[in-house]
Every structure is written in C-alpha cells, then in structure tokens.
Amino acid sequence: MKIVVIGGGAAGLGAAGAAKGANPKAEIVVYTEFEDVAYSPCGIPFVHGKEIDSFERLFLATKEQYVESGLDIRYETTVTAIDPANKTITVAGEGVVSYDRLIVATGWDYADPGVPGGDLGGIYRVKNIRRAMEWDTVLDTVKSAVIVESGYIAMEMTTALRHRGIDVTIVDPGPWPLSDLVDPEIIEPVRKGWEDIDVDMQWGNRVTAFRGDTTLTHVETERGDVIADLAVIGTHKKPLNDLAKAAGIKLGSTGGIIVDSHMRTSIDGIFAAGDCAEIPHGVSNVPLQGLSGSHAYAQGKAAGVNAGGGDRQYKQVYVPWGMLA
C-alpha cells in the first residue's frame, strides 16, 4: 500500500507516523512545500521573546530520524492537483504520482487584511520557522510594532515583542482579545497583563492601510495613524483548500474539509486532518476550523491509523483555551 500525505505540519506528520505504525509495510510519502516539517508555529514567539533559547528546540525530530522511521519526506515540493478518479496527484518536478490512500493536511494561512500596502517590507506573518530565524535578527532593529488583530500567535507575539523592548500597539475590531471565542472575564488576566507591560490596546478599531515607500513606516487605522516599523498579522486562520475544492472534495461552512469521526472525506480513500478540516464542537456540534497544533496532531493520528487499515475515532473537541500574558 502507498499512502501519500500532503502537508508536513502537526497533522501531516502525525498522520504519516500513525499510518506507518498501523501498516509497517506501507510506503509513506509526505509532500511539503517548506524546508522543514513537524514544528508548531505557536512556539516561534517564545523564541522571539527569549523564553525559549533557540529555534532548533521547536523541531520534534531531525530529518535523519524521519528517514530512519521509514518516512519518505519530499521537502520544498508542491502538489498542484489531486485526481481522485485515477488516485493520482500531480507534483511539481515529479509529474503524476499514484496513491492507494491520500491524506490531505494542507493547513492554513492568515486571512488577507484586505487593505492597501500589504506588499511593503516590515509586515510579518509568523508561520515559517526559517523566515522566523531571519526575522529574529530584524527584531533587534525594530522600535515600534502594530499587531493587526489578536489571533492566537499574534497574542503571543504581543508579549514577546514587549520582552524585546519594542513598543506595541494592538489594533483589533473586537471589544477585547479573542472576543469571538471567549468572554471578557476569561481573557481579563491577559488584557491586564498587557496593560501592566504598557501595551497600547485599541479595541474596536480597524487597520485601513499600511504606509511607507518600500518598507512600513506607519499604519493607518480608523482612529488615526500609528507609527510602526513592524506589523504582525494576526487575522484568523484561513484553510488552504484550493486543491481539495478543485478535486471535488466537499467543504463545509467554515471553508474546511468535511470529515467524519474517522477523518474520512466525501471521497473514498481520501482523509483530511488539521487546519484544512472542520470538526464539530463537542457541546454545540457547530463546525470549528483553525484550532491548535495539538488538535491537528490528534486528527492526523486518527487519519493515519485509518488510512493504514486500522480503526481509530477522533472525538469531538471542547476547545478549552489556556492563555498566559
């Protein structure tokens, strides 16, 4: 059996390892467009803030260890199409590749703020660890930063930048941090913590443009300009599902791939896991997308076991959030 995984994040590598465990004789091939696999972007701010001493500590294993475990990982390689009828994918530089089971773990990206100036230098989307290593040096030169909406990683970056001595302004349309997820009483310790370290919090405000010649100098908002030589994008997670949509895999109300309790999609032989999938909330049954790395890993494990011929059910989530300012 040949099991192909698209995506090298927590869900993708969790799936690959679980598939190999369920079916040791299976050929497992993982395709990722990035230079590395299996690290959590939410750890990056803690390196920027000096709480973790190196980026290398964020990796779960070395590339050599993945080879030793029997996983064939193709780095910096892009999958351009899925053909469910013929059980093939198209891979840049390789052509058409067949599979017996396919696991889609294509992940997420930040939603576009949709304002002018988005191509200026000085705008940071915290995700790729290699780019984070480059940005860490840049942060030594930054004096002031704007956090564009208080997403999970952006919240971590708020505190990390203050630890670096950088002036920080949060601009968020909500009335408090993570207002679409939590009540104000739950998040108050975080808000108060930011107040104590002199974060300028502008709730109920929106960014309307990034300004500068080639590099950011200030951010325009509905309430006026904010001087900044760095903007950290913290908009909501957008599922990356162009491949799935083009292949006819059904998407749900969140834009995530619809899966059942065994992470099976609407097409036989194709599974999905992680931020590209949507999962029902354990209480309300409302579909959720864009959860944490631990959720993605657990989903990947279920997808991998089932793709390998085992039987593992992913249980609905209750999403208890823990936050530290």
Side-chain angles (χ1 to χ4, degrees), residues 125-194:
R125 293 166 173 82
V126 185
K127 182 181 178 184
N128 183 301
I129 197 167
R130 295 292 164 177
R131 304 295 80 76
M133 293 174 182
E134 298 166 1
W135 273 101
D136 199 60
T137 301
V138 174
L139 293 181
D140 289 333
T141 69
V142 172
K143 293 182 171 58
S144 58
V146 168
I147 306 293
V148 184
E149 300 188 19
S150 58
Y152 319 128
I153 295 175
M155 291 180 68
E156 296 173 346
M157 282 296 293
T158 299
T159 305
L161 294 177
R162 288 300 296 133
H163 287 176
R164 295 285 286 261
I166 297 169
D167 293 334
V168 177
T169 301
I170 298 175
V171 179
D172 189 293
W176 56 78
L178 290 182
S179 59
D180 57 342
L181 285 176
V182 299
D183 292 333
E185 295 83 4
I186 299 296
I187 204 71
E188 176 58 20
V190 175
R191 193 210 62 78
K192 181 61 168 60
W194 285 340

